Amino acid sequence: MLVLLCAILLIASFAWVFFLGFRELRLGEDPLPLYINMEYKKDPRYFALSLRDLFNDAFYRTNDGKLPDGLYTMHLSKDETVEVCDNVKIPSGQTLENIYYIKNNFFSGAGVEGDKEVYAKGNADIGEKNALRAVLADNSIYVGKDTRISRWLDANGEITIEDGCNIAVSATCLKRLSLGKDCHFKRLYGFPITTSFAELAAPAKVEDVVVEKVVGRNINGIPTGSYVKGSLIGKDQLFVGSNSLVAGNIKSHGTVTLEERVTILGSMFVEGDVYIGDHCFVRGTIFSQGAVVIGENVVVGEPDKIRSVVAMKNITLNQGVRIYGYITTEGDGRTA
């Protein structure tokens, strides 16, 4: 009798599930699709802007910008001591003990350390060989050589980062973000992002190349001076000869190599590694499941549009690079 009862309950449970599905099909209680915000975009400055709002709500807006200098308590993940100052100059070799909220400018000498946030409503000038946590500035930020930022930098103006610096998480700004040699990073955002100055790439024009339509699907490469009228799709490794123009996208399941002075008017979507030669121009986004190596004097994107360079492995930027928008990697980003 017990076995029969268990069997009836099991059958009833299965029947109930199918009944609910059949009822939904007949009645159509959810006739409208789920709402999806197609305008949503991830903000690369989200955490920095959120922290800036917390500071301003606590100290600036509630005091009309007239808060006296001194020590205050602010709740972040826990209660923190915040030092409010007009201007701050940290002597060389000193350690930051508190979070700083600075009404004007921040300056640190060489070898300054600290595991607290610094927010300057003016400029931030960080000395050589500093080791700081996070620095925000409403104007611009300068970072001296061989400095490590364990979290992030964010500025409403420009960010200049000298040689040998390590930005462990991100550096973001609304204007130019300039990187020196041998710098390391994970995420960057700027207009533009540049490496040490050199001659900038000049985008090729159709009349600069041999106008020769090339079959654009499942090929291994195109010769020097070719014109591809449309997108280029490679099955395995794909090679684009120098002085060529692709008037569309590049897609490949393997490695893609661009020789020097190649122009891509679309984007690149690559399963393997991407090697971009000197003096190339890519108008769209570069996405790679592998590594991305960008040669000298390469331009990615245009001033009035946000483009991205995304690599699941590593990103290497040589000198004279100019990228408008966003760079991110799950591996190591570095400048040569």
Side-chain angles (χ1 to χ4, degrees):
M1 186 66 180
L2 181 61
V3 174
L4 179 61
L5 180 60
C6 289
I8 293 172
L9 290 174
L10 181 62
I11 293 171
S13 63
F14 278 110
W16 178 251
V17 173
F18 285 103
F19 168 74
L20 292 176
F22 177 75
R23 181 172 178 269
E24 179 67 24
L25 287 174
R26 290 295 302 273
L27 298 179
E29 292 183 356
D30 298 315
L32 297 177
L34 292 175
Y35 171 74
I36 298 175
N37 181 8
M38 301 302 291
E39 298 302 318
Y40 172 79
K41 295 180 178 66
K42 180 181 178 182
D43 189 343
R45 302 180 68 208
Y46 174 79
F47 290 108
L49 293 176
S50 298
L51 182 58
R52 185 181 270 105
D53 282 342
L54 287 174
F55 274 118
N56 285 328
D57 286 342
F59 300 120
Y60 188 81
R61 298 187 184 101
T62 55
N63 295 277
D64 296 324
K66 299 177 182 179
L67 187 70
D69 293 356
L71 297 178
Y72 296 83
T73 298
M74 177 179 175
H75 184 78
L76 296 173
S77 57
K78 60 179 182 178
D79 285 344
E80 299 276 6
T81 299
V82 179
E83 187 167 348
V84 176
C85 305
D86 185 53
N87 288 283
V88 171
K89 291 186 177 181
I90 308 296
S92 297
Q94 297 295 307
T95 299
L96 303 184
E97 301 293 342
N98 299 315
I99 295 173
Y100 275 95
Y101 178 84
I102 304 160
K103 303 171 191 175
N104 288 296
N105 301 316
F106 171 81
F107 173 86
S108 65
V112 171
E113 298 183 356
D115 61 355
K116 302 294 185 180
E117 291 80 2
V118 173
Y119 175 27
K121 294 190 72 64
N123 298 309
D125 190 330
I126 302 170
E128 296 183 357
K129 298 181 179 179
N130 278 209
L132 302 178
R133 177 180 172 85
V135 179
L136 312 176
D138 282 354
N139 290 336
S140 296
I141 297 176
Y142 171 84
V143 183
K145 293 181 179 180
D146 301 316
T147 285
R148 175 179 172 81
I149 305 296
S150 63
R151 294 294 298 278
W152 29 261
L153 300 170
D154 182 84
N156 289 334
E158 297 186 351
I159 295 180
T160 301
I161 302 173
E162 295 289 357
D163 298 349
C165 291
N166 188 335
I167 312 301
V169 179
S170 71
T172 56
C173 64
L174 291 179
K175 296 183 179 180
R176 180 189 294 266
L177 195 166
S178 177
L179 294 160
K181 297 180 180 179
D182 193 29
C183 290
H184 293 260
F185 57 86
K186 287 286 187 182
R187 297 192 299 271
L188 303 173
Y189 180 77
F191 288 89
I193 300 165
T194 65
T195 56
S196 297
F197 178 78
E199 178 190 354
L200 293 175
K205 300 177 182 178
V206 173
E207 56 265 29
D208 295 334
V209 300
V210 178
V211 180
E212 173 188 347
K213 185 175 180 180
V214 178
V215 176
R217 183 178 290 275
N218 295 332
I219 62 175
N220 293 324
I222 61 173
T224 296
S226 296
Y227 170 51
V228 178
K229 190 177 182 180
S231 294
L232 192 62
I233 302 174
K235 185 177 181 181
D236 297 310
Q237 294 188 355
L238 179 60
F239 177 87
V240 180
S242 61
N243 295 296
S244 293
L245 185 148
V246 178
N249 301 319
I250 286 184
K251 302 177 182 179
S252 177
H253 291 287
T255 297
V256 172
T257 300
L258 308 184
E259 276 200 332
E260 64 179 14
R261 300 187 186 280
V262 170
T263 295
I264 311 297
L265 298 184
S267 296
M268 301 177 65
F269 305 98
V270 182
E271 293 292 326
D273 297 335
V274 175
Y275 298 94
I276 299 179
D278 298 346
H279 301 281
C280 287
F281 171 67
V282 180
R283 178 176 288 172
T285 288
I286 300 172
F287 177 87
S288 169
Q289 294 283 5
V292 173
V293 178
I294 297 181
E296 294 184 358
N297 311 313
V298 169
V299 176
V300 178
E302 299 171 295
D304 58 342
K305 295 180 176 65
I306 298 176
R307 300 303 187 202
S308 298
V309 176
V310 180
M312 294 297 103
K313 293 183 180 178
N314 302 320
I315 292 178
T316 300
L317 307 177
N318 281 281
Q319 299 306 299
V321 169
R322 178 173 290 197
I323 298 169
Y324 293 92
Y326 194 43
I327 300 176
T328 182
T329 177
E330 296 297 320
D332 178 41
R334 61 177 294 268
T335 59

